[in-house]
Amino acid sequence: MKTHETRLELDKILTAVSSFAVLEKGREKALSALPARDVASAAQLLNATEEATRLLFELGAGRIEEFPPLGDTAERAQKGATLSCGELLACARLLRSARVLYRSVHALSDDRILLFRSLVDRLVFDEGLEEDVHRKILSDSEIADHASEKLWNLRREIRALGERIRARLQACLTGEEKKYLQDGIVTVRGDRFVIPVKAEYKRSVKGFVHDRSATGATVFIEPEEVLEMNNELITLTLDEKEEEERILAELSRGIGNLREALETDEELLAEADACYARAEYGYRLHCVKPEINGRGAVEIIKGRHPLLDQKTAVPVSVKVGGEYGFLVISGANTGGKTVTLKMCGLFCLMCACGLFVPAAEGTALAVFQNVYCDIGDSQSIEENLSTFSSHIVNLRDILKSAGKNDFVLIDEPGGGTDPEEGQALARAVLSSLLKKGCKGIVTTHYSSLKEFAYETDGVENGCMEFDTADYRPLYRLKIGAPGSSNALAICTRLGLPEETVEAARGYLSEGARAFEKTMRAAEQSRILAERAVAEANALKADWEARLKELERDENKFAAEREKFLAGSKAEARRIVNERAARAEELLEEIEGIFKRETLTEGDLIRARTLKNRMRAAPEREEVKLRALPVSPETLKAGDRVIVGSMNAEGVVISYKKNASKAEVQAGALRVKAEVSDLYPAANREKKTEKVTVVRNLAQKPVLPRECNLIGKTTAEAIPELEQFLDAALLSNLSEVRIVHGFGTGKLRAAVQECLKKHARVQSFRSGKYGEGEAGVTVVTLQ
């Protein structure tokens, strides 16, 4: 007879869990797991599963290493029996498995690993004995040559003696006796080397007959000349077996001394293996650790029955046992009522077994003393019970045994008999269960039971949603309202002839038709209303997200603006300070020139150059302090702007309102610049300066094609050189001379490096004889 756990298919879940175990005893433990009956025990099992999950999938600990079941091996070894090679290897693998688990857990410094650390601390292992067995035993039937020095020497002598015997017999095969032989090979009979001789020549070969073939055509003879050698070989072989027995006996004594530790280790490793199996099952099904309680409160959030395809299963949320003790679920056939009912009971059993459940975070489950259920067709041929009778027997047992701390699941009570009597029976059963104080779920199609849920405290209605427009179930549970069975609508969807369905509607009573129509209309209106609310909430959430994004952008813009202004002010102060310091240096240098007693022409040229540099510096190095970019709405043709990327001032020639680019005349260039790169220029009144050209004929004229840099530092010479080249280009000179002198060569190198980078320098060369040679550089301009 099926138990309640089997009806809820807990056995199938445990079978799936056991498939992830490595050890045979681990599989047995996982398969025979029983639900805990108190919160503390269930919590410990769940915590162990949580730690196993963390070890496997977060901290990277290894799985349990496989080893065969120990059986009575250690017990026989303790009693003095000599174990076989295979049995010794099995014990060594168990010792290795214990050692690997112990070290893998203790290698991880995670304070959350408590139960597993306590478990592995009880493990006992002997690494020396483990290594000794693996070093001396090669396989289930072979001992290593180096297991002992005596064994090595014996086997070496056996091999050498065997080679000598084979060599002696090989001589027989190729000598005069070759004609007597059946085959030209040396073979072994009874641990002795022999040669195959034709039966008719057996008296022609001196030796001892050890065997003959099945046909009698061949006899196997040990020649006299190898008799003593074979006797010696047998002696050595006996000595080898004796040494092997001694080695096995010695290793067996070591295993016997660890009998209790090995048996304990086997149990502990099986327990850890079962925990790992539960962890991997939960990981594969994307399960979560449920919150557990002893109050009987069950709240499943987006649960999926673990035996359904997890990719296509529709998540269902259920709440029962808190504000109300019983939930009455109604709704369409094939709508998921029974699956939901079974899922709730199965989840409670799973968590009591230490298993995580396939649901969303926040799922809470109760640990019940018992979970009772009456589900499906329980007809029993062996006990001569009909479907109705079987249900009644189950209900009898449930009503007799169920108590306050139990969970009861009943699928359509009162079915299989007269509907009126069935409804009365269903109400009576539910009333009895309420009086007992237990919690549970009942599915039904009876209208009176739905009314009973409305009228009775501690009972709540729930319905599986149904789309009446498409005649299909939605597999969603709505708590707080009953549902219509929609049997005739489902018949239409499943292909029952329309005339049959219409005839069935005609047979319904007026009250039934009105009730079903009202229920369907109410259900459809509720679905539409919830859909509208969901869309409104989604729209509201979208706009709230957009507003938050705009607020973030506004705050970010304000912060960047403050940062920009602060940076601009700091940059302005830095530049002003630099210009002031530079001007002071130039003034000091000019004053130093005029303090000299005698002024040369070079001193005057130097002073004039310094003066010009003071005037030109602000023009040449424009301060990049600007306000915010111009506004696209107010920008118009004729506005004076600064093109940021060019660091040049210009006038807007043309601009279409709110366009991304504007045409700007900047000096001799006309460019299309991004509006975001345009900044307002300060209005300047053009001042006409009177330029007076004075030609001092008394002084030695300065050649306009030559720039004299002798006596200047590199920092002084390069700006003057650049200014001279610009002037030469404006004067359309094609060739000029730069006089830098010989000196250390640094000034010449700096000048030529500057010329290499200048865009309008076509080529340059050192001066020739009569031009100043290496003290002059001749430049050809484009």
Side-chain angles (χ1 to χ4, degrees), residues 240-259:
E240 177 194 21
K241 291 187 179 301
E242 183 179 343
E243 179 63 13
E244 288 178 348
E245 287 294 325
R246 187 193 68 78
I247 293 170
L248 294 177
E250 182 182 352
L251 294 175
S252 299
R253 282 193 296 274
I255 296 298
N257 293 335
L258 292 176
R259 174 196 169 180

Side-chain angles (χ1 to χ4, degrees), residues 549-614:
E549 187 175 356
L550 287 174
E551 289 176 2
R552 285 195 300 269
D553 291 344
E554 184 178 358
N555 294 334
K556 182 179 178 183
F557 178 77
E560 289 180 352
R561 181 177 180 275
E562 291 298 325
K563 183 179 178 182
F564 177 79
L565 291 176
S568 297
K569 291 176 181 178
E571 181 70 10
R573 286 194 295 270
R574 185 188 67 78
I575 292 174
V576 170
N577 292 336
E578 285 183 358
R579 295 295 180 270
R582 182 60 178 160
E584 289 179 3
E585 291 178 4
L586 294 175
L587 285 173
E588 288 178 3
E589 191 171 351
I590 293 172
E591 289 176 359
I593 291 173
F594 284 101
K595 285 180 181 179
R596 298 174 186 172
E597 295 181 357
T598 304
L599 294 176
T600 63
E601 181 181 351
D603 292 336
L604 294 174
I605 293 172
R606 177 61 178 161
R608 189 181 302 111
T609 302
L610 292 174
K611 180 182 177 182
N612 292 337
R613 189 178 300 168
M614 288 178 65

Side-chain angles (χ1 to χ4, degrees), residues 451-696:
E451 294 173 4
F452 178 77
Y454 265 130
E455 299 166 353
T456 308
D457 292 335
V459 187
E460 184 61 86
N461 268 306
C463 69
M464 302 305 297
E465 295 184 350
F466 186 83
D467 189 344
T468 55
D470 296 333
Y471 299 122
R472 64 183 181 88
L474 300 177
Y475 305 107
R476 294 197 301 261
L477 176 63
K478 178 65 179 179
I479 295 177
S484 173
S485 296
N486 292 293
L488 298 180
I490 292 175
C491 291
T492 301
R493 186 174 70 88
L494 296 178
L496 199 67
E498 185 65 29
E499 58 273 14
T500 305
V501 176
E502 286 301 321
R505 285 197 178 97
Y507 294 139
L508 290 173
S509 66
E510 288 295 329
R513 282 200 297 268
F515 179 78
E516 287 296 322
K517 184 177 181 181
T518 303
M519 289 293 295
R520 284 198 303 272
E523 188 171 353
Q524 187 65 18
S525 298
R526 179 181 53 77
I527 292 173
L528 293 175
E530 289 182 351
R531 193 174 297 166
V533 169
E535 291 175 357
N537 289 337
L539 189 61
K540 179 183 176 183
D542 182 49
W543 278 108
E544 286 178 350
R546 291 188 183 186
L547 285 174
K548 288 181 180 178
E549 187 175 356
L550 287 174
E551 289 176 2
R552 285 195 300 269
D553 291 344
E554 184 178 358
N555 294 334
K556 182 179 178 183
F557 178 77
E560 289 180 352
R561 181 177 180 275
E562 291 298 325
K563 183 179 178 182
F564 177 79
L565 291 176
S568 297
K569 291 176 181 178
E571 181 70 10
R573 286 194 295 270
R574 185 188 67 78
I575 292 174
V576 170
N577 292 336
E578 285 183 358
R579 295 295 180 270
R582 182 60 178 160
E584 289 179 3
E585 291 178 4
L586 294 175
L587 285 173
E588 288 178 3
E589 191 171 351
I590 293 172
E591 289 176 359
I593 291 173
F594 284 101
K595 285 180 181 179
R596 298 174 186 172
E597 295 181 357
T598 304
L599 294 176
T600 63
E601 181 181 351
D603 292 336
L604 294 174
I605 293 172
R606 177 61 178 161
R608 189 181 302 111
T609 302
L610 292 174
K611 180 182 177 182
N612 292 337
R613 189 178 300 168
M614 288 178 65
R615 290 177 177 174
E619 297 295 333
R620 184 174 64 252
E621 300 179 18
E622 181 181 355
V623 178
K624 295 183 180 179
L625 175 62
R626 304 188 181 96
L628 295 174
V630 297
S631 173
E633 291 80 5
T634 59
L635 185 65
K636 60 184 183 300
D639 288 352
R640 295 194 66 79
V641 295
I642 295 176
V643 183
S645 59
M646 296 175 60
N647 197 12
E649 186 176 333
V651 179
V652 177
I653 302 300
S654 64
Y655 173 68
K656 292 182 180 180
K657 192 170 183 179
N658 294 326
S660 62
K661 291 186 178 181
E663 193 171 2
V664 180
Q665 184 74 37
L669 298 176
R670 178 175 290 189
V671 297
K672 285 188 177 181
E674 296 285 344
V675 175
S676 59
D677 192 35
L678 300 180
Y679 300 85
N683 292 327
R684 302 179 186 175
E685 294 182 2
K686 293 186 178 179
K687 297 181 180 180
T688 56
E689 297 182 359
K690 186 177 181 181
V691 180
T692 304
V693 180
V694 178
R695 182 175 295 176
N696 191 346

Side-chain angles (χ1 to χ4, degrees), residues 70 72-79 253-265:
L70 196 62
D72 63 345
T73 301
E75 181 183 359
R76 290 191 293 106
Q78 187 184 42
K79 292 179 179 179
R253 282 193 296 274
I255 296 298
N257 293 335
L258 292 176
R259 174 196 169 180
E260 293 182 0
L262 289 172
E263 291 176 348
T264 302
D265 283 357

Side-chain angles (χ1 to χ4, degrees), residues 91-106:
C91 293
R93 286 168 65 182
L94 190 156
L95 289 171
R96 173 181 170 80
S97 184
R99 175 175 59 84
V100 169
L101 178 61
Y102 178 88
R103 290 182 177 172
S104 67
V105 172
H106 277 280

Side-chain angles (χ1 to χ4, degrees), residues 168-182 195-198 201 204-206 225:
R168 183 71 60 87
L169 293 177
Q170 198 67 34
C172 296
L173 297 177
T174 57
E176 295 180 357
E177 296 177 340
K178 180 181 179 180
K179 58 185 177 181
Y180 305 134
L181 303 180
Q182 186 74 22
I195 55 177
V197 179
K198 296 176 182 178
Y201 297 118
S204 301
V205 179
K206 294 182 180 180
E225 55 263 36

